[in-house]
Amino acid sequence: MSLDELELELRRLRGVLAVGFQEADGLLLAELQAGPDAYPELARDATLIANQGAVGPVAVEVVRWGDRGNASRDTRLRLVEITNDPAAAEIHVRLALDADEGVGRASTGHGLLAPVEATVAAIRVFLPDLRFVAGWARLVETTPDRRFLVVASVTDPDTQEHRRGAAEGASPIAAASRATLAALNRTIAPDLAPLL
Amino acid sequence: MPEPTTTLVNGTLVTGTLVDTARLGSGLGSVYRALDLVVDGYGLDDAALVVDVPGLGRQVLHAGRRPIGDDTAHLHDAADGLYTEPPIDEPVVQELLLALGAIALRYDARPEPGVGAGIDPGAQGVA
């Protein structure tokens, strides 16, 4: 199946508005933007099609938009800022859910894992029972215009369940934090909804 | 304007202009080639086309097949049209792109889609 055919098959799924691809380190990332008429099993169907159609490993992310263009995104945590505290050798990640904010901290000594840890810690401000912990982060591409693509992984230590996300950023740290949100936002959305 | 690319397709060297893609390739491939042409020709940072066609509904095509991500341009909610960064005041180009997008996706969305029937002169590794 060519990339055109794969994209067309994905666009045929009800509710799909846009399909984009990004390839990094042998992994094809397919992003689907879905409108309000998308159905609950869209992610499953898209993953099946993508795995049948892609030559190598493929990951699918579905971004859902509601009736007013923002319903599903409302239940997503938003990265507000990332700051450093050199005196404490810490990185601080500030996330927002609607008007509420939470800050997570991690030691800068942990390298690129630090923004993942700080992001997970910030998520715990909203969801103290979050079962995922930081796993790893890897810089997979630096674009000619100095954008950084990072893949981050989080793990449930009890079930060994992994969630991986990829994101771009102006720095590897910003990309790693966004990738962590990409890995978890869909999973935690149902738990965040009652907080709104 | 970008130089046409030459690609080996089914053992034949094919020059991958927009016209070649429209003749031999898919509707989707033609739209993406056209968006690339607009981006390169006008020196733009970005371009996307929003088009509503029977069979597929409203579709957003981002230059380079790139993900929309957070969609800061609100393309998911935008009316039909060509959206560029920076904006260009070229109504004829915008209307032509919109028309190409509509007819190309209608072509691909047929019960026997054109995607599988054609070859994409610009695609790498097509055998």
Side-chain angles (χ1 to χ4, degrees), chain B residues 31-92:
Chain B
V31 178
Y32 283 121
R33 192 61 60 85
L35 285 172
D36 290 344
L37 209 58
V38 169
V39 168
D40 290 342
Y42 287 90
L44 303 174
D45 294 330
D46 205 359
L49 189 71
V50 180
V51 60
D52 199 334
V53 292
L56 289 178
R58 201 154 59 83
Q59 294 294 310
V60 182
L61 290 92
H62 191 199
R65 296 184 201 261
R66 291 193 300 276
I68 294 176
D70 287 342
D71 193 16
T72 52
H74 295 281
L75 293 169
H76 73 279
D77 214 14
D80 286 13
L82 173 67
Y83 296 84
T84 65
E85 182 55 43
I88 56 171
D89 185 20
E90 296 282 3
V92 173

Side-chain angles (χ1 to χ4, degrees), chain A residues 123-177:
Chain A
I123 294 173
R124 284 220 169 80
V125 173
F126 300 93
L127 301 173
D129 296 329
L130 179 73
R131 56 193 175 93
F132 289 92
V133 298
W136 50 262
R138 189 150 49 117
L139 175 66
V140 294
E141 186 178 353
T142 305
T143 64
D145 56 346
R146 301 298 294 168
R147 300 282 294 176
F148 301 89
L149 178 65
V150 169
V151 175
S153 178
V154 294
T155 301
D156 179 340
D158 292 331
T159 64
Q160 286 301 304
E161 184 182 351
H162 306 291
R163 293 276 190 275
R164 287 171 189 165
E168 272 190 355
S171 69
I173 287 174
S177 180

Side-chain angles (χ1 to χ4, degrees), chain A residues 2-5 7-8 11-12 16-22 29 31 33 63 65 67-70 73 178, chain B residues 26 28-29 32 56 58-61 64-71 76-77 108-110 113 115-116 120:
Chain A
S2 72
L3 196 59
D4 278 351
E5 290 171 309
E7 180 174 337
L8 182 61
R11 286 182 183 273
R12 286 180 187 278
V16 172
L17 297 171
V19 177
F21 297 99
Q22 195 162 31
L29 301 168
E31 183 209 72
Q33 301 267 342
V63 180
W65 298 87
D67 285 329
R68 299 186 312 279
N70 60 1
R73 273 292 165 111
R178 292 183 190 284
Chain B
S26 69
L28 271 174
Y32 283 121
L56 289 178
R58 201 154 59 83
Q59 294 294 310
V60 182
L61 290 92
R65 296 184 201 261
R66 291 193 300 276
I68 294 176
D70 287 342
D71 193 16
H76 73 279
D77 214 14
D108 280 356
R110 294 175 309 160
V115 167
D120 183 351

Side-chain angles (χ1 to χ4, degrees), chain A residues 37-83:
Chain A
D37 53 339
Y39 55 105
E41 297 82 13
L42 173 62
R44 181 201 63 192
D45 291 350
T47 301
L48 287 173
I49 290 172
N51 277 291
Q52 288 169 358
V55 175
V58 59
V60 173
E61 183 189 11
V62 178
V63 180
R64 293 176 183 267
W65 298 87
D67 285 329
R68 299 186 312 279
N70 60 1
S72 191
R73 273 292 165 111
D74 281 345
T75 60
R76 290 183 166 228
L77 289 169
R78 178 170 50 86
L79 177 62
V80 178
E81 65 174 0
I82 301 173
T83 55

